[in-house]
Amino acid sequence: MAVTPPEQRIWWNEPIERVELVWIVIAFLWGLFMFGFMIAWHFIGQQNLSKEAYRTTPSAYEAKVDEFAKKFQVREEKGIPVVKPKPGADVYLLGRLWQWWPILELEKGVSYRIHLSSLDWQHGFSLQPTNINIQVHPGYEHVISLTPTESGEFGIICNEFCGIGHHTMTGKIYVTEQKRAEAEPRLAEGR
Amino acid sequence: MTAETVIGAVPAQAEFRTCQYTGLKVDTAAQALIKANAVAAVVFLAVGGLMGLLVALTRWPAVHLLPADWFYLILTGHGANVLLFWIIFFEIAVLYFASAILLNSRLAAPKLGWVGFVMMVVGAIATNVAVLQGDSSVMFTSYPPMKAQPHFYLGLILFAVGALIGCALFFATLVIAKEERTYEGSIPLVTFGALTAAIIAVFTIASGAIILIPTWLWSLGLISDIDPLMYKVVWWAMGHSSQQINVSAHVSLWYLTAALLVGAKPLSEKVSRTAFFMYILFLQLASAHHLLAEPGMDASWKIVNTSYMMYLAVLGSMVHGLTVPGAIEAAQRKNGYNRGVFEWLRKAPWGHPAFAGMFLSLVFFGFIGGISGVVLGTEQLNVLMHNTIYVPGHFHGTVVAGTTLAFMGATYLVLPLVFQREIVWPKLAKIQPYLFGIGAAGISLFMMGAGTLGVARRHWDMTFSDANLGFAHSAGAFLMMGLNGIFAIIAAIGGIIFVLVVVATAFFGEKITGGHKLTFPLHAGGGAAASHYGNEKAPKLPGTIILVALFFVCFVLYYFINWKYLSELWLFR
Ligand SMILES: [Cu+2]
């Protein structure tokens, strides 16, 4: 029994059950496959998290985001600037107690270099309903090349607990169709 | 070197009684410590479980019970009380049982065991006080720069040191038993599993000290800054490994229960022991899979640490996933249940709460906790569910439907054998593992579903009613969180029945005397029935093969479904 010492004193010389051996081989090969698939996804897949990151400080990062927002602001919404960067540009987004700032307006099918950092505690960047979830640290500036593949209005929520107002920490990203965006009168007004 | 020099001058006298059901020699000092740790475990389970119910009732959008500040406070307390205090008190009891009692030995230094016990109790109370005072709502992971009161961290440190003393006593008892030749040959498999748990515990507690002591000094103002990324790396060396103690402990209890209730013995000792050993070798590295969404971590580092190594540890669990039901099938076929593919399973002692708890734990841990853990720990797939409520869904599958259910099942063996009390209210005890198990499996699945739909973990208001920029989750996400609340109530009813039965039995159960016939009997044949498996005359195990094949198909399908989800996301690199 499992609660008494093994019958065979030298238990490591016992034969292995055939069914056990087959299962071990299958499980091992499956593990090897899953390991290989992650590497393969770096070549066949389009969703791999960037490792590009820099040390920064909250004040230096805040200054960069402010400058970015001033430069590309197209309008304001609920006191928050809506910022429409040039296609392919560096885009800055910050998390702080308790908002994601500023609001972004991006174009579908265009790649942006999105910079992410926090001014205070750890936050969780969670893009909804697309469900892309990335941890955001104070002192670290994380750069992700992001290409929206659908247009519409998207929410950013915080999914790392950051104090009593955590559940009010939201942000927004608008994604517009490439050509229509230029023609849209509402956007033209904002400029 | 003698055991005496290892643990200091300890008199070799001890009082023993003989268990009339198992024939084991029971050191009464070990018995008292097992009782104390088990009682403390159940007290913290009751407190933490009640907190869990309050959390679930708040996250049920139609109920939304607690105000925000209370929700975050109660959630912090829930994590500490059930994930640390309930489970580790119980594990210390398991360590004393697997060393002193299974080896027919005296327990090394029982007085020191009481010192450790008192430290653990004081630490657990200090942390609870800090949480209830309201300014330490930092969650179970307590990431800086968010700060708690000094006695929050100090309580955790005291608790950890107390638990470390328990581990030291376990090792010393192994040495004593070997020297005093209280058993022959190798240690039993259950003790071997407990040994892997204890080794992992030492590593875990050391990592905990490395990270919690500076954090405590920081909370006192003696250290000015803690790097949040560095904190996370070391914290998870403790945080993940501590869950591995649970796996080793509850898998040991699967083997124990299978042995005592159907007379099962391992198919081959070598395979089962190697599977335990793989936990020690590979799981510490796998801690890194909590850092897949952090900035600046290299992809190759992530793949090697989190996944290649993790898959070798997962291999360990997959092996137990075959050998435990395989051992039960083999034993049941010897017991005469040989008709068809599944008679052995149908005729298993499902009316015995220890067996029901054990088998449900095995199934839920594998299908829910295990598969979701691998998916969550996959480098790219993690982005889909990192910090969503999928994560608590996964670990409620491992720690609640797996570990807690297995521990509850084992308690129905501990009460008659160690407390020597007959279980009161057997009808309630019979349905308890089913209620709790189904409730726990339900909350795990529905949280995973809600997480897949984007609901955040540790979040008070999924309607975002106070937010400046509103956001609306899908109707499906609301449905999932509602079902989560309903199944949390089912689990809570199971939990309350458990606490009532255990407390009533421990204090008022009929005292078991010589010749007493147990309401929930052990297997009659015991060791004699299970003779020699593990050689060329091996029994055929068609039932187990079907169960394992079903598991594998579910695993592969679910893995690829998630890659499909991922491929539909926006592009990022
Ligand atoms: Cu936040």
Side-chain angles (χ1 to χ4, degrees), chain B residues 469-504:
Chain B
L469 300 168
F471 174 75
H473 275 299
S474 63
F478 279 84
L479 176 68
M480 291 287 173
M481 293 311 291
L483 288 168
N484 175 54
I486 291 169
F487 277 79
I489 291 175
I490 297 174
I493 293 170
I496 290 167
I497 293 175
F498 175 76
V499 173
L500 288 179
V501 169
V502 169
V503 171

Side-chain angles (χ1 to χ4, degrees), chain B residues 138-191:
Chain B
V138 292
M139 298 294 146
F140 183 67
T141 46
S142 63
Y143 297 142
M146 192 181 282
K147 202 185 276 182
Q149 291 297 312
H151 52 298
F152 175 85
Y153 304 109
L154 187 62
L156 294 178
I157 293 167
L158 267 178
F159 180 81
V161 175
L164 200 54
I165 292 175
C167 295
L169 248 57
F170 170 81
F171 295 125
T173 305
L174 292 191
V175 173
I176 286 177
K178 182 110 206 146
E179 270 186 2
E180 297 180 354
R181 296 170 200 278
T182 61
Y183 65 100
E184 275 176 48
S186 304
I187 55 173
L189 179 61
V190 173
T191 308

Side-chain angles (χ1 to χ4, degrees), chain B residues 204-558:
Chain B
T204 298
I205 294 168
S207 303
I210 290 170
I211 197 61
L212 282 173
I213 290 172
T215 310
W216 174 50
L217 297 174
W218 168 70
S219 73
L220 285 168
L222 300 173
I223 289 179
S224 65
D225 188 44
I226 301 250
D227 182 83
L229 195 54
M230 184 280 293
Y231 177 90
K232 263 187 143 160
V233 173
V234 187
W235 196 92
W236 280 110
M238 168 184 76
H240 188 78
S241 317
S242 70
Q243 301 320 305
Q244 232 40 63
I245 312 172
N246 307 342
V247 176
S248 293
H250 80 226
V251 174
S252 301
L253 293 179
W254 291 348
Y255 283 108
L256 173 79
T257 310
L260 291 179
L261 295 187
V262 296
K265 60 168 272 177
L267 297 174
S268 52
E269 295 272 355
K270 179 160 55 177
V271 171
S272 297
R273 285 171 195 245
T274 308
F276 273 119
F277 194 59
M278 290 177 109
Y279 288 152
I280 301 183
L281 289 183
F282 299 109
L283 262 147
Q284 326 310 351
L285 296 158
S287 310
H289 74 257
H290 293 273
L291 306 166
L292 294 173
E294 309 301 316
M297 300 286 200
D298 195 75
S300 49
W301 179 86
K302 286 178 188 169
I303 292 174
V304 170
N305 281 317
T306 71
S307 301
Y308 190 53
M309 300 306 178
M310 186 169 88
Y311 296 149
L312 288 173
V314 166
L315 181 63
S317 284
M318 286 174 79
V319 169
H320 291 305
L322 175 124
T323 58
V324 174
I328 292 172
E329 179 171 1
Q332 284 286 77
R333 287 183 184 278
K334 286 258 167 178
N335 292 340
Y337 301 113
N338 239 323
R339 265 187 300 150
V341 179
F342 282 119
E343 195 197 13
W344 64 275
L345 193 59
R346 277 188 284 113
K347 294 284 171 68
W350 293 105
H352 194 310
F355 184 85
M358 174 261 147
F359 207 90
L360 292 179
S361 158
L362 170 74
V363 171
F364 294 150
F365 179 78
F367 278 86
I368 302 176
I371 293 176
S372 64
V374 169
V375 168
L376 193 56
T378 301
E379 191 212 347
Q380 293 93 343
L381 296 181
N382 182 266
V383 173
L384 263 177
M385 59 274 271
H386 172 80
N387 265 356
T388 67
I389 203 165
Y390 187 98
V391 178
H394 152 69
F395 70 69
H396 281 72
T398 59
V399 177
V400 184
T403 304
T404 296
L405 191 51
F407 286 5
M408 284 176 168
T411 306
Y412 294 107
L413 294 172
V414 171
L415 287 171
L417 299 182
V418 178
F419 283 74
Q420 295 168 280
R421 298 272 191 175
E422 182 56 273
I423 290 168
V424 297
W425 306 322
K427 279 185 185 149
L428 274 180
K430 236 181 223 187
I431 57 164
Q432 189 275 329
Y434 295 98
L435 275 177
F436 186 80
I438 289 165
I443 58 173
S444 307
L445 286 172
F446 294 121
M447 279 196 271
M448 282 161 59
T452 304
L453 296 170
V455 178
R457 70 189 295 193
R458 298 169 170 169
H459 200 280
W460 176 66
D461 179 17
M462 70 182 284
T463 65
F464 303 93
S465 52
D466 296 336
N468 187 18
L469 300 168
F471 174 75
H473 275 299
S474 63
F478 279 84
L479 176 68
M480 291 287 173
M481 293 311 291
L483 288 168
N484 175 54
I486 291 169
F487 277 79
I489 291 175
I490 297 174
I493 293 170
I496 290 167
I497 293 175
F498 175 76
V499 173
L500 288 179
V501 169
V502 169
V503 171
T505 300
F507 290 102
F508 310 112
E510 181 198 341
K511 278 223 164 105
I512 287 176
T513 48
H516 176 90
K517 208 167 162 293
L518 293 174
T519 312
F520 297 114
L522 303 184
H523 185 262
S531 59
H532 202 87
Y533 303 123
N535 58 25
E536 61 282 356
K537 287 186 300 178
K540 294 236 183 311
L541 305 171
T544 301
I545 291 172
I546 290 173
L547 292 180
V548 168
L550 180 71
F551 169 79
F552 190 67
V553 169
C554 290
F555 194 164
V556 173
L557 281 179
Y558 187 67

Side-chain angles (χ1 to χ4, degrees), chain B residues 15-27:
Chain B
E15 274 179 43
F16 292 98
R17 68 173 177 90
T18 303
C19 175
Q20 59 171 316
Y21 303 103
T22 59
L24 289 164
K25 229 168 93 186
V26 178
D27 174 3

